[in-house]
Amino acid sequence: MKLLVINGPNINMLGIREPGIYGKNTYADLLTLLEQTAKDAVIQIDHFQSNHEGAIVDTIQAAYGVYDGIVINPAAYTHTSVAILDALKAVSIPAVEVHISDVDSREPFRQISYAGLYCEKTIKGQGIDGYRQAICYLQEKYG
Ligand code: DQA
């Protein structure tokens, strides 16, 4: 099984960025968690992070026919990007949405998720462990 983990803008700033909201784990810690999860589950996990909406759309399109599942944290584009939603619909790959923080208890503008309209599950407020949970879900269902 091959999964792709996609992270949107400012996720590369984890650990530095608003630690009271996103925690002290760094982006490097997240990559280590992905590596360990891939080892434990005996699956291939690739990862991609970009601060650019179009690059995320390009990466979702390129996943077609290559990956069995996508774990996506579109970050701020969660709340704005119809383009990312349409790309997910276009490739029709099973996807799970992850948010490190509990977006439900934050500002009203974070209550809308466009990608979430496609994703079959959303994991929020679990810190970086949410990525592991999303991977386990996809592996159990599609692996
Ligand atoms: C986030 C929540 C978003 O509202 C925010 O813009 C992010 C990160 C999260 O992981 O909690 O950048 O997706």
Side-chain angles (χ1 to χ4, degrees):
M1 177 177 219
K2 279 174 79 168
L3 299 182
L4 178 61
V5 176
I6 299 174
N7 278 296
N10 302 305
I11 299 297
N12 56 317
M13 295 296 280
L14 280 182
I16 298 164
R17 162 187 203 208
E18 301 180 271
I21 294 174
Y22 298 110
K24 287 185 180 158
N25 287 305
T26 62
Y27 185 63
D29 295 333
L30 171 56
L31 298 187
T32 302
L33 175 108
L34 297 181
E35 210 177 294
Q36 190 56 52
T37 307
K39 246 187 220 168
D40 294 345
V42 198
I43 56 175
Q44 183 179 328
I45 300 177
D46 296 331
H47 56 84
F48 176 77
Q49 189 277 330
S50 178
N51 297 323
H52 304 276
E53 185 177 18
I56 295 169
V57 170
D58 287 344
T59 298
I60 294 169
Q61 289 183 5
Y64 181 72
V66 178
Y67 290 97
D68 308 301
I70 291 176
V71 172
I72 185 162
N73 181 351
Y77 291 138
T78 303
H79 318 299
T80 62
S81 182
V82 177
I84 290 174
L85 168 63
D86 284 350
L88 289 168
K89 284 181 168 176
V91 296
S92 198
I93 298 170
V96 175
E97 176 186 21
V98 172
H99 296 289
I100 295 162
S101 67
D102 178 17
V103 277
D104 289 347
S105 62
R106 299 183 63 193
E107 302 95 323
F109 67 83
R110 294 184 204 276
Q111 306 309 314
I112 286 177
S113 170
Y114 287 97
L117 296 173
Y118 172 80
C119 291
E120 58 183 79
K121 191 177 170 69
T122 299
I123 298 169
K124 15 187 169 185
Q126 303 292 307
I128 63 169
D129 191 64
Y131 292 86
R132 187 192 59 75
Q133 295 174 32
I135 290 161
C136 291
Y137 170 84
L138 287 170
Q139 198 215 357
E140 273 164 32
K141 188 153 178 201
Y142 299 102

